[in-house]
Amino acid sequence: MSPASPVTLCDLLGRQQPGMTLEQPFYTDPGIFEEDLNRIVARQWLYVDHVSAIPQPGDVLTYEIAGESIILVRGRDREVRAFFNVCRHRGSRIITKACDHVRTLTCPYHAWTWDLEGKLVKARSMADDFRTEDWPLHACRTRIYQGLVFICLAEEDDDDVIEFDSIADRLDPYIENHCLGAAKVAARKAYPTAGNWKLAVENFRECYHCAPAHPGYTSVNAYVLDGERDQQARSETVAAWAATWEERGVVTRSTGVWGDSYDERQPHAAMRQPIKEGYRTLSRDGRPVAPLMGRLIDWDGGETLMVFGPLFYIYLAGDHAALFRFTPVHATHTDVEVTWLVNGDAREGEDYDEERLTWMWDVTTIEDTRIIGDNQLGVNSRRYRPGRYSTRERATTNFVEWYKRRMGDQL
Amino acid sequence: MSPASPVTLCDLLGRQQPGMTLEQPFYTDPGIFEEDLNRIVARQWLYVDHVSAIPQPGDVLTYEIAGESIILVRGRDREVRAFFNVCRHRGSRIITKACDHVRTLTCPYHAWTWDLEGKLVKARSMADDFRTEDWPLHACRTRIYQGLVFICLAEEDDDDVIEFDSIADRLDPYIENHCLGAAKVAARKAYPTAGNWKLAVENFRECYHCAPAHPGYTSVNAYVLDGERDQQARSETVAAWAATWEERGVVTRSTGVWGDSYDERQPHAAMRQPIKEGYRTLSRDGRPVAPLMGRLIDWDGGETLMVFGPLFYIYLAGDHAALFRFTPVHATHTDVEVTWLVNGDAREGEDYDEERLTWMWDVTTIEDTRIIGDNQLGVNSRRYRPGRYSTRERATTNFVEWYKRRMGDQL
Amino acid sequence: MSPASPVTLCDLLGRQQPGMTLEQPFYTDPGIFEEDLNRIVARQWLYVDHVSAIPQPGDVLTYEIAGESIILVRGRDREVRAFFNVCRHRGSRIITKACDHVRTLTCPYHAWTWDLEGKLVKARSMADDFRTEDWPLHACRTRIYQGLVFICLAEEDDDDVIEFDSIADRLDPYIENHCLGAAKVAARKAYPTAGNWKLAVENFRECYHCAPAHPGYTSVNAYVLDGERDQQARSETVAAWAATWEERGVVTRSTGVWGDSYDERQPHAAMRQPIKEGYRTLSRDGRPVAPLMGRLIDWDGGETLMVFGPLFYIYLAGDHAALFRFTPVHATHTDVEVTWLVNGDAREGEDYDEERLTWMWDVTTIEDTRIIGDNQLGVNSRRYRPGRYSTRERATTNFVEWYKRRMGDQL
């Protein structure tokens, strides 16, 4: 059966009210999910992994997003490149199972073979007019930043993608002293989440829910209750902390409030604030969970949230970085992966303990998977109607407004 | 791919023949299933549970139907109310897990809080022009009848819903002496059924299939074979039984034959007949399975079928009531729940035994789940064509004709 | 959401390039899959089973294909007939579970009863104008050929189906001496395959992939490497083998190269070639795995591939036949069944050993399920584009060109 009068994406966008949550189909409809992938996700720089995952030429890994499988491989020239995991002959996956090193990229089906730079070097029994140079692997844009590999699925001629340099230039001061390129992965956990990716993002970008829903997180982050109880006092606390550390040359001012958009194509930002009186890091008791990172000069008691568009965030503390990667899977499912980095020379058991390191974000993210799943179930109701955001959900509101503009621009 | 020329619901209804089963899409198409939910299911009074499930103020349960989760809660004023389980803020489920008592209805996400009557009493950090009185929970129509809680999903201004009183007025004489409001739930069983809800309803409303498919049921209910063998003799048996009991003030005449429609919006009826020579109740051997219910004066050897629209039925015997609740789940799945009620003061093991009490309907309903699943599989075939109903499927035919009128009226 | 401008099947067919793989939707779209079933699969003669599965009157089996359940039953006249497993009354399945013998075809729902020839013989309580002769079971075309049962799902008046006799006439010389009608089923294995049926068929029809992907098969079949290394030498080997055996009256010439189409409605062919120097049959070491079949005069060291349209193939060796049945299940799933036949009087453990008999096709088909699954995953990518077939994929190319013509003819 086809519906009598289908509602279009245009109609839906047209009737959205500012300051209100999205209408139901944006959270449930498989067709809109496909549009999200094509219009939003495919045009973002997306974090994949830390470079230490493929240290040597021929080291390889794959990342599945938006129905794609992307091969990351380090070439003989030590450059990291990304390719679509699709054979140019009949379309087979080329890397088909757990595999961490290759000499060439050889399709297991008919043995078409590409070198590590994506050039076709062997294809048996082709007609005489077949030219191998016409059939390189489909390349995928790649960029390494602070030891983190980013890709972008958009075609090369799609100019609706931000220059990565403009992100890097703005965010360098907040991240460069952590020297993440020399860090190591201390822990990595997966949080499958039964909700639309936008519900997961909305959740991540506000802390209005922290007091009722995240007791552990709230016990560590003073801003949650401070801001709720007395905004004025909170501002003074932040100002005093900033004054102390600016004097010592530490950056403490944010690029802007959370979620502010510097570039419509991929809004990015960094925000700093003090953790809690007496707390050096984001741990249960405030005591360090690993050695001070990189070139940091002292425990400044601050935390940094870095925003790389809707789907990737970093929380920096003095002794670790927590990386949050959101992978939309289908209209009502999102995979969240959290990766914890510490200094490259830190030794597990001596310099850090995984349980203490991961505690706060692990309990918080587990709580969020439940929250987001319940949010999705409610949004599925015929009686769901857009609701009104509070004053404490500004970065979430900003995301939703940005989402609507991006979807609308492209109609 | 989109179909070349989509068939509309109008086309399908237009070419249906009277006295014939429905065309395939009515039993298989997800789009028609959605229309069924909106046009039919959402406009019926639907049985949820017996009031004894939530006896005290703050007692709460949820019922999932038609993609909705409905909260039933008893207020401080002891009234039972129903609400859509959807937060007015961002749409989260409010009751999110097994929970049988609450002090308030508090969303676990951002702690918006409603009282047990559905009034918003707390929402932190909202803009100054936010008025809590504008954001009550979405109420759901509720009605208690004979201790049974009914709801209706339709919006308050939808007048295509029957007044419950007109059902009550007509059916009171058949049910009031059982005093179901003072009864207790003795057993409850779930029968997941792999068929469209209309196949489940068609099955329930005819006994043409009983002789071949339900040996247990047929051994108890004389009408199955009597009616098949000699309609005249059967009529005389019924008349004799009626004469005996009418004399003692017992209602024996039906409101009409099965499936007759008194109100197009929600056809309802009650029908009485004798069980079998020497049988006091619907048990394997005809002997009682529990104490005589409520204010009944004697074992009259009759059974009563009560029809509350397509999705809820009660079978009354002298010592128990069996409640049949049909919940459409998706185009090819229906959940059937059977609940057995006995007198509120009957004690298990002394006054009744669950196995004896539930035997007939349990074996019969298990058989029906298999039958309906096989019916669905056959109907899925490209070669399925509408077939002709027999003379013994009149209540099923009535249902199908009513269904077609209801779907057509609303085009 | 409905797509802004749906692509039609016509558009897709119109932009396909010759010699290139199909565009993505042909391998992924559920709507095209339905069209495939209706336009292609339903119009093919489809192999079901060997006649020995239902030797006696009343013996019965069912085969599920294209959403249908087909009953095969041997009548009292010993004829094998096929019927759609759909009751003419309310559409129930008639044969509902494992069942290998019946006296009548009786629907378990309301006991409508057909004789083994499909004539309705009992339907209780029908209106006076009901005539049983109007309600036979839906017959399905059936044909026995060389002991193999074929069916065709098309309606009787659909003349876009080949006459089976024209297939039989052409293929008789290649198969009749094997006397498959007197053979027995020695083994049968199922290979569920996570790929579109056309990917499975494309895979089966070329051996370009054998050297890289099938080491076992390649070690047995000399043509794989011979043809790749030196086509000229290979032609001479084949010619010498043909000369030797033609002299003894054995057919050695193919009806045409693989995949050539003799009849657009159901392309069929037979192709012969020598196995490998010193090999008598398709076994690991070339030694026989069972007695010489039927009326064969000697071990001629050849193998025969018989093509019955896209969905059924037979590989004949001197001592066994391997039957390959492809059953499309949904857009990205195909069930492959391989059945091994040996002489009817061969005894397991004495005359043949199942492991030796099945080795080559079993390992090869397991490998193919993996290959096809990986092919499907890659084809799902947004970046998949049609690729170019090699010179060694001619029968695959033929199949794809035929597929496009068949789909286009019917628009």
Side-chain angles (χ1 to χ4, degrees):
Chain A
M1 293 305 300
S2 50
S5 58
V7 173
T8 68
L9 186 49
C10 262
D11 299 337
L12 281 175
L13 287 168
R15 70 192 194 208
Q16 279 289 146
Q17 300 288 321
M20 305 289 282
T21 62
L22 295 167
E23 291 209 44
Q24 184 183 62
F26 290 104
Y27 298 122
T28 58
D29 187 274
I32 293 187
F33 179 75
E34 285 301 310
E35 294 295 321
D36 286 357
L37 296 181
N38 293 328
R39 297 180 191 206
I40 309 266
V41 178
R43 288 181 167 119
Q44 298 289 302
W45 286 98
L46 303 167
Y47 163 74
V48 178
D49 208 330
H50 188 261
V51 284
S52 62
I54 45 171
Q56 298 301 326
D59 286 352
V60 70
L61 62 82
T62 59
Y63 173 48
E64 317 274 317
I65 184 164
E68 302 301 335
S69 170
I70 301 296
I71 299 171
L72 281 196
V73 63
R74 194 180 285 273
R76 306 217 176 279
D77 55 3
R78 306 197 72 86
E79 287 295 305
V80 171
R81 289 180 182 78
F83 301 105
F84 286 80
N85 192 1
V86 180
C87 180
R88 297 299 306 276
H89 172 226
R90 294 223 333 242
S92 175
R93 286 272 170 94
I94 294 166
I95 304 288
T96 60
K97 52 190 165 187
C99 161
D100 52 17
H101 189 80
V102 294
R103 289 181 54 240
T104 57
L105 292 164
T106 299
C107 179
Y109 199 166
H110 301 89
W112 284 30
T113 300
W114 289 264
D115 64 21
L116 301 182
E117 290 73 44
K119 206 178 114 214
L120 180 60
V121 293
K122 196 177 104 192
R124 298 168 299 140
S125 306
M126 297 305 293
D128 293 341
D129 64 343
F130 180 86
R131 304 181 339 148
T132 53
E133 56 269 41
D134 293 339
W135 302 90
L137 284 183
H138 290 294
C140 177
R141 303 191 208 189
T142 323
R143 177 64 193 263
I144 313 295
Y145 176 63
Q146 297 292 338
L148 310 177
V149 184
F150 290 82
I151 59 167
C152 178
L153 302 175
E155 304 265 1
E156 277 301 329
D157 59 2
D158 185 338
D159 59 5
D160 204 8
V161 175
I162 198 172
E163 296 294 318
F164 198 95
D165 283 346
S166 77
I167 298 180
D169 289 348
R170 186 175 305 274
L171 300 187
D172 277 348
Y174 295 89
I175 195 169
E176 62 193 358
N177 288 329
H178 275 75
C179 303
L180 297 187
K184 63 180 266 193
V185 173
R188 190 195 300 263
K189 299 193 186 186
Y191 303 90
T193 303
N196 184 276
W197 69 277
K198 295 186 291 291
L199 292 180
V201 170
E202 290 186 51
N203 171 270
F204 194 80
R205 291 169 77 106
E206 52 92 356
C207 217
Y208 182 41
H209 72 280
C210 293
H214 295 311
Y217 180 90
T218 299
S219 74
V220 172
N221 289 273
Y223 81 93
V224 177
L225 296 179
D226 285 0
E228 194 142 346
R229 288 170 186 158
D230 185 345
Q231 297 264 11
Q232 178 61 30
R234 176 65 187 169
S235 298
E236 287 162 17
T237 302
V238 174
W241 167 80
T244 303
W245 291 97
E246 286 282 342
E247 204 162 88
R248 294 184 60 185
V250 172
V251 181
T252 62
R253 289 176 206 288
S254 303
T255 58
V257 292
W258 294 18
D260 267 11
S261 139
Y262 287 96
D263 188 303
E264 277 288 283
R265 294 171 298 180
Q266 182 152 2
H268 53 282
M271 186 260 190
R272 297 218 70 204
Q273 64 176 341
I275 299 172
K276 184 177 179 172
E277 184 65 34
Y279 274 56
R280 292 189 157 188
T281 190
L282 294 164
S283 66
R284 200 177 330 218
D285 55 11
R287 287 188 296 123
V289 292
L292 202 60
M293 288 195 84
R295 300 189 302 256
L296 292 174
I297 55 164
D298 202 350
W299 301 95
D300 67 19
E303 62 183 305
T304 310
L305 166 62
M306 307 194 70
V307 178
F308 294 79
L311 295 170
F312 182 57
Y313 303 85
I314 305 175
Y315 265 95
L316 294 173
D319 50 6
H320 70 280
L323 318 179
F324 297 82
R325 186 183 77 180
F326 292 80
T327 305
V329 175
H330 60 65
T332 60
H333 192 92
T334 306
D335 279 339
V336 180
E337 185 192 84
V338 184
T339 303
W340 287 262
L341 302 181
V342 297
N343 255 356
D345 55 6
R347 288 150 304 175
E348 159 128 55
E350 299 185 33
D351 299 315
Y352 68 93
D353 167 76
E354 186 178 320
E355 195 284 331
R356 288 191 67 232
L357 170 67
T358 62
W359 172 77
M360 189 186 83
W361 288 119
D362 188 44
V363 298
T364 302
T365 310
I366 288 169
E367 287 158 356
D368 277 333
T369 60
R370 184 184 52 68
I371 288 167
I372 296 162
D374 289 332
N375 196 359
Q376 181 71 54
L377 290 173
V379 165
N380 293 345
S381 165
R382 273 169 195 73
R383 209 55 73 90
Y384 165 77
R385 296 287 178 276
R388 189 163 167 182
Y389 291 111
S390 73
T391 58
R392 290 172 61 78
E393 291 164 291
R394 186 164 151 209
T396 295
T397 314
N398 286 348
F399 161 65
V400 167
E401 296 301 323
W402 170 80
Y403 168 79
K404 291 186 290 187
R405 287 194 304 272
R406 290 296 282 175
M407 295 294 278
D409 276 1
Q410 294 169 33
L411 289 177
Chain B
M1 293 306 300
S2 51
S5 58
V7 174
T8 68
L9 186 50
C10 261
D11 298 337
L12 280 175
L13 287 168
R15 69 192 194 208
Q16 279 289 145
Q17 300 287 320
M20 304 289 281
T21 62
L22 294 168
E23 291 211 43
Q24 183 183 62
F26 289 105
Y27 298 122
T28 58
D29 187 275
I32 293 185
F33 180 75
E34 285 300 310
E35 294 295 320
D36 286 357
L37 295 182
N38 292 329
R39 297 179 191 207
I40 309 266
V41 178
R43 288 182 166 119
Q44 297 289 302
W45 286 98
L46 302 167
Y47 163 73
V48 179
D49 208 330
H50 188 261
V51 284
S52 61
I54 45 170
Q56 298 302 325
D59 286 352
V60 69
L61 62 82
T62 59
Y63 173 48
E64 317 274 318
I65 184 164
E68 303 300 336
S69 170
I70 302 296
I71 299 171
L72 281 195
V73 61
R74 194 179 287 272
R76 306 218 176 278
D77 56 2
R78 306 197 72 85
E79 287 294 306
V80 171
R81 290 180 182 81
F83 301 104
F84 286 80
N85 192 1
V86 180
C87 179
R88 297 298 307 277
H89 173 224
R90 294 222 333 243
S92 176
R93 286 271 171 95
I94 294 168
I95 303 289
T96 59
K97 52 190 164 188
C99 160
D100 53 17
H101 188 80
V102 294
R103 290 182 54 240
T104 57
L105 292 163
T106 298
C107 179
Y109 200 165
H110 300 89
W112 284 29
T113 300
W114 289 265
D115 64 21
L116 301 182
E117 290 74 43
K119 205 179 114 214
L120 180 61
V121 293
K122 196 176 105 195
R124 298 168 299 137
S125 306
M126 297 305 293
D128 293 340
D129 65 342
F130 180 85
R131 305 181 341 147
T132 52
E133 57 268 41
D134 292 341
W135 302 90
L137 284 183
H138 289 295
C140 177
R141 303 191 208 189
T142 322
R143 178 65 194 263
I144 313 295
Y145 176 64
Q146 298 292 337
L148 309 178
V149 185
F150 290 83
I151 59 168
C152 179
L153 301 175
E155 304 264 3
E156 276 302 328
D157 59 2
D158 184 338
D159 59 5
D160 204 8
V161 175
I162 198 172
E163 295 294 318
F164 198 94
D165 283 347
S166 78
I167 298 180
D169 289 349
R170 185 175 306 273
L171 300 187
D172 277 348
Y174 294 89
I175 196 171
E176 61 194 359
N177 289 328
H178 275 74
C179 303
L180 296 188
K184 64 179 266 193
V185 173
R188 188 194 301 262
K189 299 192 187 186
Y191 303 90
T193 304
N196 183 275
W197 69 276
K198 295 186 290 291
L199 292 180
V201 169
E202 290 185 52
N203 170 271
F204 194 81
R205 291 169 77 108
E206 52 92 357
C207 217
Y208 181 41
H209 71 280
C210 294
H214 295 310
Y217 179 91
T218 299
S219 74
V220 173
N221 289 271
Y223 82 93
V224 177
L225 296 178
D226 285 1
E228 194 141 348
R229 288 169 186 157
D230 186 346
Q231 296 263 9
Q232 179 61 29
R234 175 67 187 169
S235 299
E236 286 162 16
T237 302
V238 174
W241 167 81
T244 303
W245 290 99
E246 285 282 343
E247 205 164 87
R248 293 184 60 187
V250 172
V251 180
T252 63
R253 291 178 205 286
S254 302
T255 57
V257 292
W258 294 19
D260 266 12
S261 140
Y262 287 97
D263 187 303
E264 276 287 282
R265 294 172 297 180
Q266 182 153 359
H268 53 282
M271 185 262 188
R272 298 219 69 205
Q273 64 176 341
I275 298 172
K276 183 176 180 172
E277 183 67 32
Y279 274 57
R280 292 189 156 188
T281 190
L282 294 164
S283 66
R284 201 177 330 218
D285 54 11
R287 288 188 295 122
V289 291
L292 203 60
M293 287 196 85
R295 300 189 301 258
L296 292 174
I297 56 166
D298 203 350
W299 300 95
D300 66 19
E303 62 182 304
T304 311
L305 166 62
M306 309 194 68
V307 178
F308 295 78
L311 295 170
F312 182 57
Y313 303 86
I314 305 176
Y315 266 95
L316 295 172
D319 49 7
H320 70 281
L323 318 179
F324 297 81
R325 184 182 79 178
F326 292 79
T327 305
V329 175
H330 61 66
T332 59
H333 193 92
T334 306
D335 279 339
V336 180
E337 186 192 82
V338 184
T339 303
W340 287 262
L341 302 180
V342 297
N343 255 358
D345 55 6
R347 287 150 304 176
E348 159 127 56
E350 298 185 34
D351 299 316
Y352 68 94
D353 167 76
E354 186 177 319
E355 195 284 330
R356 289 191 67 233
L357 170 68
T358 61
W359 171 77
M360 189 186 84
W361 288 119
D362 188 44
V363 298
T364 302
T365 310
I366 288 170
E367 287 159 355
D368 277 333
T369 61
R370 184 185 52 69
I371 288 167
I372 296 162
D374 288 333
N375 197 358
Q376 180 72 53
L377 289 174
V379 164
N380 293 344
S381 166
R382 274 167 196 73
R383 208 55 73 89
Y384 165 78
R385 295 288 178 277
R388 190 163 167 182
Y389 290 111
S390 72
T391 60
R392 290 172 62 79
E393 292 164 290
R394 187 166 150 207
T396 294
T397 314
N398 285 349
F399 160 66
V400 167
E401 297 300 325
W402 170 80
Y403 168 79
K404 292 186 289 188
R405 286 194 305 273
R406 290 295 283 174
M407 295 294 277
D409 276 1
Q410 295 169 33
L411 288 177
Chain C
M1 293 305 302
S2 51
S5 58
V7 173
T8 68
L9 186 48
C10 263
D11 299 336
L12 281 175
L13 288 168
R15 69 190 194 209
Q16 280 288 146
Q17 300 287 321
M20 305 289 282
T21 62
L22 295 168
E23 291 210 43
Q24 183 182 63
F26 290 105
Y27 299 122
T28 59
D29 187 274
I32 293 186
F33 180 76
E34 285 300 311
E35 295 295 319
D36 285 357
L37 296 181
N38 293 329
R39 298 178 191 208
I40 309 267
V41 178
R43 289 181 167 119
Q44 297 290 301
W45 286 99
L46 302 166
Y47 163 74
V48 178
D49 209 329
H50 188 261
V51 285
S52 61
I54 46 172
Q56 299 301 324
D59 287 351
V60 70
L61 62 83
T62 59
Y63 173 48
E64 318 274 318
I65 185 164
E68 303 300 336
S69 170
I70 302 297
I71 299 170
L72 282 196
V73 62
R74 195 178 286 273
R76 306 216 176 281
D77 55 2
R78 306 197 71 86
E79 286 295 306
V80 171
R81 290 180 182 80
F83 301 105
F84 286 81
N85 192 0
V86 179
C87 180
R88 296 299 306 275
H89 172 224
R90 294 222 333 242
S92 176
R93 286 272 170 93
I94 294 167
I95 304 288
T96 60
K97 53 191 163 187
C99 159
D100 53 17
H101 188 79
V102 295
R103 289 181 55 241
T104 57
L105 293 163
T106 299
C107 179
Y109 200 166
H110 301 90
W112 283 31
T113 299
W114 289 264
D115 63 21
L116 301 182
E117 290 74 43
K119 207 179 114 213
L120 180 61
V121 293
K122 196 177 105 192
R124 299 167 299 138
S125 306
M126 298 305 293
D128 293 341
D129 65 342
F130 180 86
R131 305 179 341 146
T132 53
E133 57 268 41
D134 293 340
W135 301 90
L137 283 183
H138 290 294
C140 177
R141 303 190 208 189
T142 322
R143 178 65 194 264
I144 313 295
Y145 175 64
Q146 297 292 337
L148 310 178
V149 184
F150 290 82
I151 60 168
C152 178
L153 302 175
E155 304 264 2
E156 277 301 328
D157 60 1
D158 184 339
D159 59 5
D160 203 8
V161 175
I162 198 172
E163 296 293 318
F164 198 94
D165 283 348
S166 78
I167 297 180
D169 290 348
R170 185 175 305 273
L171 300 186
D172 277 349
Y174 295 89
I175 196 170
E176 62 194 358
N177 288 328
H178 275 74
C179 304
L180 297 187
K184 63 179 267 191
V185 173
R188 189 194 302 261
K189 300 193 187 185
Y191 303 90
T193 304
N196 183 275
W197 70 277
K198 294 186 291 292
L199 291 180
V201 169
E202 290 185 52
N203 170 271
F204 194 80
R205 291 169 78 107
E206 52 91 358
C207 218
Y208 182 40
H209 71 281
C210 293
H214 295 311
Y217 180 91
T218 299
S219 74
V220 173
N221 289 272
Y223 81 93
V224 177
L225 296 178
D226 285 1
E228 193 142 347
R229 288 169 185 158
D230 186 346
Q231 297 264 11
Q232 179 61 28
R234 175 66 187 170
S235 299
E236 287 163 16
T237 302
V238 173
W241 167 80
T244 303
W245 290 98
E246 286 282 343
E247 205 163 88
R248 294 184 60 186
V250 172
V251 180
T252 63
R253 291 177 205 286
S254 303
T255 59
V257 292
W258 293 19
D260 267 12
S261 141
Y262 286 97
D263 187 302
E264 277 287 284
R265 294 171 298 180
Q266 182 153 2
H268 52 282
M271 186 261 189
R272 297 219 71 203
Q273 64 176 342
I275 299 173
K276 184 176 180 173
E277 184 66 32
Y279 274 57
R280 292 189 157 188
T281 190
L282 293 164
S283 67
R284 202 178 327 219
D285 55 10
R287 288 187 297 121
V289 292
L292 203 61
M293 288 196 84
R295 300 189 300 259
L296 292 174
I297 57 165
D298 202 349
W299 300 95
D300 66 20
E303 61 183 306
T304 310
L305 166 62
M306 308 194 69
V307 177
F308 294 79
L311 295 170
F312 182 56
Y313 304 86
I314 305 176
Y315 266 95
L316 294 172
D319 49 8
H320 70 280
L323 317 179
F324 297 81
R325 184 182 79 179
F326 292 80
T327 305
V329 176
H330 60 67
T332 60
H333 193 92
T334 306
D335 279 339
V336 180
E337 186 191 82
V338 184
T339 303
W340 286 262
L341 301 180
V342 297
N343 256 358
D345 56 5
R347 287 151 304 177
E348 159 126 55
E350 298 184 36
D351 298 315
Y352 68 93
D353 168 75
E354 186 178 319
E355 195 284 330
R356 289 191 67 233
L357 170 67
T358 62
W359 171 78
M360 188 187 82
W361 288 119
D362 187 43
V363 299
T364 302
T365 310
I366 288 170
E367 288 158 355
D368 278 333
T369 61
R370 184 183 54 68
I371 288 167
I372 296 161
D374 289 331
N375 197 359
Q376 182 71 53
L377 290 173
V379 165
N380 293 345
S381 166
R382 274 168 196 72
R383 209 55 73 90
Y384 166 78
R385 296 287 177 279
R388 190 162 166 182
Y389 290 112
S390 72
T391 59
R392 289 172 63 78
E393 293 166 290
R394 186 165 150 207
T396 294
T397 314
N398 286 348
F399 161 65
V400 167
E401 297 301 323
W402 170 80
Y403 168 79
K404 291 186 289 188
R405 288 194 304 273
R406 289 296 282 175
M407 294 294 278
D409 275 1
Q410 294 170 32
L411 287 178

